[in-house]
Every structure is written in C-alpha cells, then in structure tokens.
Amino acid sequence: MKHRITAALERFSRAMLAPLSYLSAAGLLLVVGALLTSAPLAGVLPFLRWEPVQLAGRIIYKCLTAVISNLSVLFCTGLAAALAKREKHQAAFIALMSYLVYLTAGNVTLTELGLLAQPDALTGLYSAGQTMVLGIQTVDTGVFGGILLGLLTAFVYDRTCEKAHRGILGGVFSGVRWSFACMAALAAVLGSGACFVWPPIQKAIAAVTGFIAASGNIGLFLYGFLERLLIPTGLHHLVYMPFQFSQLGGQLMVGSVTYTGAYVVMMTEYNLGLPFSDGIVWMYTGFTKTFGYFGIAAAFIFCARRGSRKKTALQLLPLAFTASLASITEPLDFLFCFLAPVLWLAHAAISGSFIVLLHLCGVTAFTSNLLGSLVMNLSADAARTNYPVLYLLGLAQIAVYFVVFTVLIKALDLPTPGRRPERAVPAGKGPAAGRAGCRKAHCSLWRAGEHPHGGQLLYPPACHGERPGLRQGAGPESPALQRCGAKRLRCADRVRHPRAGGAAGGGAAAEQGGLLTFGGRATIIGKKRLPAQSVFVWIKFHAFCKKHYRRVRSLLRAKREPEKHPLLSRRGRHELGAA
C-alpha cells in the first residue's frame, strides 16, 4: 500500500511539472516587462519613458500576466495530458472543454440564484469571492478547481476512451466522444456544486478577519500564515483584502476627506509626508515575496543532486526574481505546495513570524517589491520608515528559509526540484549529450571490474541499466552508443558476445550489430555504419578475413589433391615423423 501511494505521488509530481516547466521562461519575461514599465526605474533611466519602450513593456507584462493568471487552465489541461495513458492530446482537448463547461455551469448557477457580484472599484471581484476566468465570471476556487478537474479527466478518460456502444447513437457516443460526454456531465455538476459549497467556506475565512484584527501579534501571525497557506485554494484574497481596502485596515481623516483601508492610508501618508500609522503592518504581505523566495530557491538548489544543480538553478532563479520584482509567487509556490506539504506549512509559519518581527522592530517601510520598495523607502527617508532594519530582516529571512528548508528536505527526503529520480529515456528518444556525457558513458559502459562478466568488454544489455539513458536490450543504434561507442575504446580483454559474430581474436558483424575487437581496441558495428569508424580497423578486419579465406581454400585444395598436401601425403607424414 505504501509503495502504491508513493508511486502515485511520484506520478502526480511529474505531471505537475508539465505545466510548470514553462513558467520559468514566462516569469523571466514578466520581470523584463515589469522593469520596462516601472515608474521608479524610469526616474533613474530616462530612456525607459520613450513611448516604444513603454509599449513593448506593457505588451510583455500584460501578455505574460494573462498566462500566470490562468494557471488553473494550464493545470487542468496539463495534468490530464500528462496522466492519460493513451492519446494524450485527446485527453487535453477533453479537459479544456470540460473546464469551459465547469466555468459556465458555475456562472449560470450564480446568475439564476442572483449571486453574481458586481466588481468593486478597488478590489474588483476578489472581495466577493468570485473571479473572471477566460471571460467567464464564477466562484474563485483558485487552481484547486483546475487541478481537480484535470485529475478527474485523466481518470475518466483512461476508463472510457475505448468504450463502444451499439445502436443509432453508437457511432456518436463511442470512444473519446463518450469520454467527453461523461466529463461534461461531471464538470457541470462540479461547477454548479461549487456555488453551494465554496461560499460558506469563504464566509468562514472572512469571519476569521475580525479575530485577526482584535488579537494583536497573534492576529498578525495568523494573518501572514493564512495569506500564504490558502494560496492554492484562492481563499487568500479574503484574508488580506478586508484589511487593505476596508475599515479593518484603519482610517485616516485629512480635512473633510476620510481615507479607508491600509493601502489607501499608506499611499496618502506617503504623498502628504505624514508619519506612517500602525495600519501599514497589513501591507507586509509583500515582505516574504521580496526576500523569502531567494532562500527557498537557494535551499532547493543546495539540496538537488550534484548533477542537477545547474539545471535546477536555471529553473528556479527566474522564478525567485519574478517573486521579488513582480510579486508573483505562484510559479514557485506550486512547485512544492502539493508535493511537500510540510514545506508549505513551514513557509506559511515563517511568513507570519516575520510580519510579527517587523511590527516589533518598529518598521514602517514599503515591502511591495524589491525595486519599488527600495526607491520609495529612500525617498521617504529612514526616519519615517526605519528601512535599514527592513533589509537586515530581509537577509535574516533568506537565511532562515535556507536553513529550515534544507533541514526538512534532507531529514524527510522530500521530492523537491532537482531531487526527483530521472526516468530512463527509451533508446532513440533521448537528447544528444555533449562530451561530458560521453565520458560518463565510457565509465558506465566500459569500465572494468564492475560488470557481472568479470570486467570484460560487454555489450550494452549486460550493463543492467547502469546508465539512465540506456535500457536493457538497447541495440547498437542507441543514441548513447552512437555518442560514445563510435570512438575506439580501450577494452580489458577480447571477448566474443552472443550477438557478435567471429572468434575471440577477431569478430564479424552480427545480424543486429555486435562488437569487433582487434589488438586491444573495440569498435561497435551494426546495421548502420558509424561515421567515426577507423579505416585502420577495417583494414585489419579485411586482413583477418583474407587470412581465413586462404586457409579454407588451402584445405579444399588439399581435399582434392591429398598427395600434394604436406600433412596428408604419405611422404609428408613420414618426413614429419622422422623429424
């Protein structure tokens, strides 16, 4: 049972990587767009105010934001395609269509019940617990709805895609069309049911905000803890929105005008040069986004396998910079929140703890993003913001994340990025490797003393899958052999392999390929000639065949004329005996 659960989690983790693998590039481009459209940066670099640069920045930022904002769609289609066992493209199509049915069912249910909310000027639809996905307004379930629908699509598709029905409608509702019919019905039920199940949960979360506002430092910790913990469900908006845009976050009266909400009060105090009030603590949700994710990325890179560290760094560093510069953390969050829930709980706890520390240290600085907070804190002066302590605590948070995550990953052997075992690549499908890969293959395939045949030169099937890119039974056309075996390699001894023709001292090409060994060197041959075969080796092979051909011809001639053969004639045997 334990092995089945472990295998299922491993399969789910690999499927989750399918949609997330594109987000590193998307996050890096999003950072470029955010920098090109940054008003503080434009004040330092005037050329960024040029209209073509601003237009390009807005296009890049808006287009990539559309990708990040629709992660639920990516998870739905990506999981269905990755987990389906056959015709994966059909599973992806069915998942996308089912998700549209799911969204529309929720929208129709809300409309019929009179619960369709109108967007607020400041908070949009988030304060009402609803959102727009692909232009359809429905209940905000975050990525949870997309993940659930993707898993169900793969499950239903594998069990119904080969179903055949008889009768008039048998040709219509058979095969993948029957899978879509089943999923459409299930998606409609889920979309409609979410309108009844999710709002009570949202109201319970909203009720907690009153306790948070009245509980001092405990409430601050719970505020930061829930704001991170509930991200996968989309309920985190209901935690911070009431504080940042309603009376829970504080009020400021300037003349006859009253400003309500932590965000509005903070910006008003900044523009008027007033001291910042205590309500700014509700804006500290950006602190972990600005600093903490560098510690998370560093821990993942440090805990990755040595051979995967460079690849892991290239994947995670753009996501960390995206979180710090654009305050978009979802691409990095979803890499571990489902696969390592212990880390997700620790992440939420650390985030809440540092919000309390900022309050206790008297910090009233901007924490929105790294570049914006730096510019605004410098312009607001250290006396008003106490920003040196902010950046010292930021470095401390990076260190805390690194230490805590590293200890948990190594102690519990968690499947974080770079630590998952790589799957064997079938022969003929693996990517071409460089010289370093060839050197590793030489050691793996030809090193003496590590194989079951006493360190002899072995044909690849005898290596028992020691190299991940090679399987048992791989033929000489295998990419790993073509990369490494085309060169003449030192061998421990001459061998005769079952699939290689010829004697131990030489060899001939087998029907499906084999080994030729001459003079302590080895060459792989097969149906396809390898381009790097040495001419000298083939000359020696030709001489070998010519020598045996002459021996055979001599024996045949001796059979026809035995008296002339020195070993078969009487005179020859007599002379040999006398000698």
Side-chain angles (χ1 to χ4, degrees), residues 287 291-292 295 354 388-401:
F287 180 76
F291 300 103
F354 270 89
V389 178
L390 172 76
Y391 294 109
L392 288 176
L393 287 175
L395 295 176
Q397 189 184 47
I398 293 174
V400 169
Y401 267 110

Side-chain angles (χ1 to χ4, degrees), residues 51-102:
E51 284 299 323
V53 175
Q54 288 290 308
L55 177 62
R58 292 191 192 97
I59 291 174
I60 294 173
Y61 186 80
K62 293 293 184 181
C63 292
L64 273 301
T65 300
V67 175
I68 303 298
S69 301
N70 290 292
L71 284 178
S72 57
V73 184
L74 300 182
F75 278 124
C76 181
T77 55
L79 283 174
L83 294 175
K85 297 179 181 178
R86 57 182 71 85
E87 293 186 350
K88 296 178 179 289
H89 62 287
Q90 298 285 4
F93 283 135
I94 293 173
L96 179 59
M97 293 186 289
S98 300
Y99 194 69
L100 293 175
V101 173
Y102 169 80

